[in-house]
Amino acid sequence: MKTSKIEWTDATWNPSTGCNKVTAGCKNCYAETMAKRLQAMGASGYENGFDFTLMPERIDLPRKIKKPTKFFVNSMSDLFHEDMPFEFLDRVFNVIEETPHHQYQILTKRENILADYFANRKVPKNVWLGVTVENSKTKNRIDILRKIDAEIRFLSIEPLIGEVGVIDLTDIHWVIVGGESGHKARPMKSEWAIDIQRQCNEQNVSFFFKQWGTWGEDGVKRSKKSNGRILLGKEWNEEPLYDLT
């Protein structure tokens, strides 16, 4: 567990590590690159590189943090991976329920497993539940997410690698948009991001623009820090309202 440079969270918590590619958004996975680097450095927890691995020794870590914190759960994996036992997931969600002073942001590309798990379980009130939508081909994930009774439902439209088109944001509370980073990054067109911001505004959904990534708004390839996170002349840092009580 460590503080995070990800703009929309405070810290990361990885009760599992490793994953495998399921759709086009996974092609240049940042977590895979990082996991292999950590494996080469001999870092604890990455002995298996990017192979899916349970980390039971990390489950209780949030209990030790007294300061209210927003945790991005499994930044280095997918909590709803095919190899994740539901019994282990139960242990993870028990910790979440027993630490109501924290908020837990959970993101998945495996919407069907997400739906199966919560078919007969309740989502804890302090969970933000999200799915990744990288282009129009993965919009079906939204329909599955909206059927799950969660306090906050959100979309991570990152990396945005294609036009998403019309989005029904009914019962969605937050949308994050960002371009891809890394030397193999695919460009994000400004009109794609602007169209999503417009739809969020029209449907009264909070909008967060995370980054341009490796390719700037001007189509020039440079560091993501240099390209920044300005869209339509401003930073977009909107978040949904949530009640900790």
Side-chain angles (χ1 to χ4, degrees):
M1 179 179 298
K2 61 179 181 178
T3 56
S4 177
K5 293 181 181 179
I6 298 171
E7 291 83 354
W8 46 265
T9 198
D10 297 329
T12 57
W13 173 41
N14 286 282
S16 69
T17 58
C19 201
N20 57 281
K21 295 175 172 60
V22 290
T23 51
C26 302
K27 181 178 180 180
N28 302 317
C29 179
Y30 77 91
E32 181 179 23
T33 301
M34 188 179 298
K36 290 179 177 179
R37 185 181 304 135
L38 291 169
Q39 181 186 34
M41 294 167 56
S44 175
Y46 295 93
E47 293 82 1
N48 297 328
F50 203 54
D51 291 342
F52 183 80
T53 306
L54 298 180
M55 294 289 163
E57 66 274 16
R58 298 180 178 179
I59 282 189
D60 286 326
L61 288 175
R63 300 184 196 273
K64 302 174 183 179
I65 308 298
K66 303 303 180 185
K67 179 182 177 181
T69 301
K70 278 189 296 186
F71 288 110
F72 177 22
V73 183
N74 269 12
S75 62
M76 296 295 291
S77 184
D78 190 324
L79 198 63
F80 295 94
H81 190 274
E82 293 83 357
D83 294 335
M84 171 67 79
F86 278 9
E87 294 80 6
F88 192 85
L89 272 182
D90 288 341
R91 293 175 61 188
V92 170
F93 280 100
N94 283 341
V95 171
I96 290 173
E97 284 191 289
E98 293 168 11
T99 52
H101 57 297
H102 298 320
Q103 298 287 304
Y104 295 88
Q105 299 161 313
I106 300 172
L107 189 59
T108 185
K109 291 184 177 73
R110 292 163 169 84
E111 67 283 356
N112 292 319
I113 298 175
L114 172 74
D116 287 346
Y117 181 75
F118 284 115
N120 55 10
R121 296 173 175 86
K122 290 185 177 181
V123 182
K125 189 175 181 180
N126 55 334
V127 164
W128 304 27
L129 209 55
V131 293
T132 300
V133 179
E134 62 261 37
N135 54 28
S136 61
K137 294 180 180 179
T138 52
K139 285 196 294 186
N140 61 297
R141 292 174 178 158
I142 306 173
D143 293 328
I144 292 175
L145 175 65
R146 84 172 89 250
K147 294 176 183 176
I148 300 173
D149 186 14
E151 191 77 8
I152 293 177
R153 302 179 197 86
F154 72 101
L155 310 180
S156 175
I157 307 183
E158 183 187 18
L160 177 55
I161 58 172
E163 186 177 12
V164 175
V166 176
I167 317 172
D168 178 4
L169 295 173
T170 303
D171 295 325
I172 302 299
H173 307 96
W174 194 33
V175 173
I176 302 164
V177 170
E180 193 167 42
S181 57
H183 69 282
K184 295 182 179 180
R186 292 156 287 185
M188 174 180 67
K189 293 185 179 180
S190 60
E191 55 262 35
W192 299 343
I194 291 169
D195 185 52
I196 295 168
Q197 188 280 323
R198 175 189 58 79
Q199 293 186 70
C200 287
N201 182 60
E202 290 175 353
Q203 299 182 56
N204 197 29
V205 173
S206 299
F207 177 80
F208 193 104
F209 187 68
K210 181 175 174 286
Q211 63 177 25
W212 280 101
T214 297
W215 295 89
E217 183 177 12
D218 56 3
V220 176
K221 194 174 185 179
R222 54 173 78 88
S223 74
K224 67 177 182 179
K225 183 177 181 181
S226 297
N227 284 326
R229 47 191 303 263
I230 301 296
L231 180 71
L232 295 171
K234 61 177 283 188
E235 280 191 7
W236 299 86
N237 298 308
E238 298 171 357
E239 287 191 358
L241 297 176
Y242 56 94
D243 186 1
L244 285 173
T245 59

